[in-house]
Amino acid sequence: MACTAWRTAIPGFLFLLATCSEVSAAYVGDRFFPSTLATTVPTPADFYKPPYFVLQPSTATTPSIREIDIPTTYSRLVTRDLAVFFTETFRILEDANRGTRSGFGNFVIGAQYQLYTNPEHQFVVTVGGTAAIGGTGSPGIASSFSTLTPTIYTGKGFGDLPDSLAWLRPLTVSATVGVAVPTSSSILAPVGTIDSPRANPGDFTSLVTVPSGATTLAETINPKILQWGFALEYGLVTNHYTGANRTGTRYPEGWVPLVEFALQTPLNGPTAGKTTGTVNPGFIWVNRYLQAGLEAIIPIDAHSGRDVGVRAQAHLYLPAIFPDLKPIFGD
């Protein structure tokens, strides 16, 4: 009952903040950074992503596990350079051994601080990270431990290239590098269960017999994981203004073909140094009020998954929808 109450109260509180708070940090100079789908855009902003659909590739385990995620994210500017965001994910796991089960993942709180910008060269560096709070999700779906992931985000637009390379000016590159640090290095559970639903038991589990000799437990190793990724975008976007003669609020409109790479490398444990991940080709359509995106999710090798998934997402620009929206502190 208490868990249901706070899951209901938090979204209401966040929208109350939105209604009492015009700034979007998606522009760096003349370059608009759309919100990428598989990686995190390096520009803090006010936005809301209503529940969207992610069909993950089946896991490389035997039997495989198929995961469907339905995340929701809300981001709020505290100052012009600092945003906090909150993500809640409803997850469905189709497992031949354990049947289909569903529930919420752990509640995620994150922050981004725009540390450095160079508008002339369309370059930005942001620092921040996330905290997935252990025990806030559903048993059998979410981990019992928390995971802290400090992260650096960067982005570069190439609108400053000379006329001889004008065809490359629409190119944008963004990248993220973080380390996921679990608060528990390992978990003991009865054989046949696993605390991290998508972990590969052959990679992360060893068998341990407790001193009583009556029970055999599986020790699940929770390694520190280097999470890294980047996005290559070719922005076919034009700038428009709400007033005549390039006056009023600037906003983008157009298409952004892109390909994203989302990768992870364990830093310790049995699979240390073994990189897995996905390549995610797709496109984003942008206008004044929102963007919509669609990507395929393609494993980079057999250890990363067995088939192709898909991700479809909408992203609402709150400052355009609520013109009086301002950061909580400052103009």
Side-chain angles (χ1 to χ4, degrees):
M1 181 67 70
C3 183
T4 302
W6 72 258
R7 289 185 186 278
T8 303
I10 286 177
F13 171 71
L14 298 179
F15 279 106
L16 179 63
L17 283 178
T19 57
C20 67
S21 77
E22 136 193 27
V23 176
S24 173
Y27 275 101
V28 177
D30 291 330
R31 180 52 48 102
F32 178 78
F33 285 81
S35 178
T36 45
L37 283 70
T39 58
T40 302
V41 68
T43 49
D46 284 309
F47 66 80
Y48 174 62
K49 295 179 183 178
Y52 59 97
F53 178 80
V54 183
L55 175 64
Q56 300 281 4
S58 297
T59 62
T61 58
T62 301
S64 63
I65 299 173
R66 168 70 81 175
E67 178 178 329
I68 300 172
D69 291 338
I70 305 175
T72 303
T73 299
Y74 174 79
S75 177
R76 184 71 178 90
L77 281 174
V78 179
T79 68
R80 294 181 65 92
D81 297 321
L82 173 65
V84 294
F85 57 90
F86 310 86
T87 298
E88 181 75 284
T89 300
F90 186 77
R91 181 164 294 137
I92 302 169
L93 298 175
E94 299 176 351
D95 184 341
N97 278 350
R98 302 173 62 185
T100 299
R101 59 195 191 276
S102 62
F104 286 97
N106 284 332
F107 189 67
V108 176
I109 299 174
Q112 284 185 297
Y113 178 72
Q114 195 161 297
L115 185 66
Y116 173 78
T117 58
N118 186 321
E120 179 183 359
H121 295 289
Q122 304 172 354
F123 178 70
V124 57
V125 176
T126 302
V127 295
T130 61
I133 304 173
T136 57
S138 305
I141 297 294
S143 300
S144 59
F145 55 90
S146 299
T147 300
L148 309 178
T149 311
T151 307
I152 298 174
Y153 315 84
T154 64
K156 174 71 172 76
F158 289 87
D160 56 351
L161 289 175
D163 291 343
S164 60
L165 295 173
W167 63 279
L168 283 176
R169 287 175 180 167
L171 182 65
T172 300
V173 177
S174 62
T176 64
V177 179
V179 177
V181 181
T183 56
S184 176
S185 61
S186 65
I187 296 290
L188 288 177
V191 172
T193 65
I194 190 166
D195 194 57
S196 180
R198 286 184 62 86
N200 185 336
D203 291 341
F204 296 101
T205 306
S206 58
L207 297 181
V208 178
T209 303
V210 297
S212 65
T215 305
T216 300
L217 301 179
E219 181 185 33
T220 304
I221 305 301
N222 304 317
K224 298 180 179 67
I225 298 177
L226 175 67
Q227 296 184 342
W228 54 291
F230 57 96
L232 304 175
E233 310 165 29
Y234 197 79
L236 306 176
V237 172
T238 56
N239 291 324
H240 300 264
Y241 295 83
T242 55
N245 300 318
R246 298 172 65 87
T247 60
T249 303
R250 176 177 55 172
Y251 65 91
E253 190 169 287
W255 294 91
V256 183
L258 78 164
V259 58
E260 299 184 76
F261 296 82
L263 307 167
Q264 58 179 16
T265 307
L267 300 179
N268 63 292
T271 59
K274 180 180 177 181
T275 297
T276 58
T278 59
V279 56
N280 306 266
F283 62 87
I284 299 170
W285 176 76
V286 178
N287 78 354
R288 178 180 174 184
Y289 298 102
L290 59 84
Q291 70 170 57
L294 181 67
E295 287 184 341
I297 306 174
I298 305 171
I300 62 171
D301 58 21
H303 297 288
S304 302
R306 292 184 171 179
D307 50 21
V308 177
V310 65
R311 180 184 289 106
Q313 182 189 100
H315 179 106
L316 306 181
Y317 301 130
L318 295 183
I321 298 171
F322 303 102
D324 293 329
L325 192 70
K326 298 181 183 298
I328 297 174
F329 300 105
D331 295 328

